[in-house]
Amino acid sequence: MIKNYLTLAWRNLKKSKVFSFINIMGLTVGLTASFLIFVYVCFELSYDAFHAKADRTYRLVADIKTPTETINANGPSWAVPPNVIDEFGEVEAFVRFTRADFVVKRDEVQFQEDECAFADSVFLSVFDFPLLEGDAKTALKEPFSMVLSESSAKKYFGSDNAVGQTLHVGQEQLPVTVTGIMKDMPENTRLKADMVVSMTTLTQKLNAGLDEQWGNYGSEAYLLLRAGTQADGLQAKFPDFLEKRNGSEMKQSQMFVTLFLEPIKEVYLYSTRDGSNVGNINNVYIFSIVAVFILLIAAFNFINLTTARSAERAKEVGIRKVVGAAKPQLIKQFLGDSILLCLIAFVFALGFTFALLPLFNYLAGKQVSMILFANPGYIGILFLAAICVGLLAGIYPALVLSGFRPVAVLKGRFASGTRGIFLRKALVVIQFTISIALIFGTVIVYNQMRYMRNRDLGFDKEQTLVIDTKGSPAKEAFKQALAHIPAVKATALSGSVPGGGNPGAYSEIENSHGDLQIANLDLYFVDFDYLDLYGIDVVAGRGFSRDFATDSTQAMVVNEAAVSLFGYHSPNEAIGKRFKQWGREGTIVGVVKDFHFRGLQGKIKPLTMRIEPGSWNLVSVKLTAGNLPATMAAIEKEWKTAVPNLPFTYFFLDEYFNRQYRSEEQFGRLFVNFAVLAIFISCLGLFGLASYSTAQRVKEIGIRKVLGASIADIVQMLSSDFIKLVLVAIGIALPVAWWAMHRWLTDFAYHINIQWWVFAAAGITAIAIAVLTVSWQAIRAAVANPVDSLRDE
């Protein structure tokens, strides 16, 4: 019997090639889009979930409350983890993980390595990064020991055995011994590194005493809890622990710390402490909903296309019933047709998913692993999803087609009733409601991304080259040498540039009441030329000047946000006020206009600037537009003369700054592409309903033409019903879409306002799409010969 159903289904597919192609294409597109989203969502949810001890591993983070703000740090102070394991038996091990970048040299070969880290000795025991060579328990135990990734080992040592070899690291060219080779870390981990150096190198040799510093923050920390330990119970003990170990220091500094535990499997998607360096669970929810919408649209599209073809199969059903076919048999046959179509679409969708995964990786901005999709369990889930779509999409057409009365259909009267017409129209309304909402969302996402790229940031980032000197003593000589290159307009030295990292500094600044107010403030170390090069406006007082000898030791410049923080009503009131910061004392000499030194996701924070030559490592170079390759060659030549022992590493500030928006831009690209696919499938559904409606009214059209109706009249008659459906969809979609996108925009401190024209654009676009989709069928019916339309068999 099953073989018979499949044979009949296959014959029907071959008989109606165009119908089959359109139906399979709609299902294939819907399934492919959903499969890609499924793989993406699974990948996002898998971050650091592959570790065998992940259920017992937590990141230790801190909230630091000062008199002016609460700082959400992504790690505790350096002294906390060693003291935690001494205090609490519930903690089996701790791992501190500090990201770094090194200049690494072997013989005459050297590279700038950005994916580096320091980690405690149990790093490879707590986390599952398998070693190919070496002992996981001892590889990171001794100072000046290092574990390389497999690709890094090949990069420096080729086919030679790297274990036991020495690399020279940092500007000081410190000899570090390779003690292990690990597999390249997977993409779905936050603890990404190609080189891991023992933490004892940092805490015992490079910065001895770091383990005893309670006020120094700069490392992530992870705790492995013993089996059966409740994280909430341990977290509740932290306040007493901090009071006992560090209470007096907290009171003295007026910086009160609260510790929290974050499950490692939730850090990537749920934590907000790492800025743009993490994922976003809301994006996962959004794409999951989009996947469900696309599957529903594909199913609705299938229903409409199948019922549109019911006119062709009505007589077949009538004849089968006359010769004895029961309704359950017909339902099974039509469900078999539906499932067969879905299985064919499933096979095509698998192929397209594999083929499109590289493009999808480009749009997503990450290498979503093929291994995830090759997992038999995931294939099984996708297969069941396809079967469910087939059943969902086929059940209504099966009931409709199997329910035709033989006497009626054999006379040519095969209408499925008003309830069937209402359902089909309702499906089109739902499809276009989703599509219009996606059109609206696409416009908002695009305009927010454009706004973020083009907004006035308060400084000039164009034509700015930034070169990392790694703090070389020759940095000032190199800066002066660049002044002789004609294409170089200006140069400046600093420790930070907008969009990059900068230290937070424990500060005391005189407030409006005359008291020294404690605050943790962002700090830029700059030179005398920095403000001019970046075009940062001074709104009160003055900038740094070589004419004032004390500027290099006793002067500070702050931004407007800092002025407000300390209670001043105008920038001029802050001039001459006292400050103490990191061992320096002096007065505020100038106030600069607020500029977006951290991007647009958050409000502009208070910022301080000081002259500190020992902390300059970046050279900013303002270039003229012109022959860039020749200019870069001239700059590199000066670099090799001034700093011959370091690689020439640089970036352009506009590109560097815009990297902060990378996750938002990736979200926007994916959202737009999936929205287009959803709209395309909706158009197929509308095409199906137009076909069905035209087939139902073919004799009416013939009679109208005989009575003198023009082609335009016929097209208008057939199109008007669908335009009404789209108008209903617009009325439903736009308020819902406005609410959803308004919520999305609130994640940005600076964002666009939703203008009235966005509503109009979404509505007009939907109507235009509907008219174009329906017009082909309407025109085809309108130009048909009425003699053929009125002829009956």
Side-chain angles (χ1 to χ4, degrees), residues 122-145:
V122 295
F123 175 74
L124 296 169
S125 301
V126 172
F127 301 110
D128 292 342
F129 300 119
L131 277 186
L132 301 175
E133 298 180 49
D135 185 348
K137 294 181 179 179
T138 61
L140 294 173
K141 186 176 181 180
E142 298 299 325
F144 300 111
S145 58

Side-chain angles (χ1 to χ4, degrees), residues 290-302:
V290 169
V292 172
F293 281 169
I294 289 176
L295 278 178
L296 289 176
I297 290 174
F300 297 162
N301 168 68
F302 181 91

Side-chain angles (χ1 to χ4, degrees), residues 44 57 105 145 159 173 180-181 233 257 364 366 534 621 769 779 784:
E44 291 289 281
T57 306
K105 184 176 181 181
S145 58
S159 58
Q173 296 291 286
I181 307 298
V257 179
K366 60 180 64 181
Y534 281 102
V621 186
I769 290 172
I779 293 171

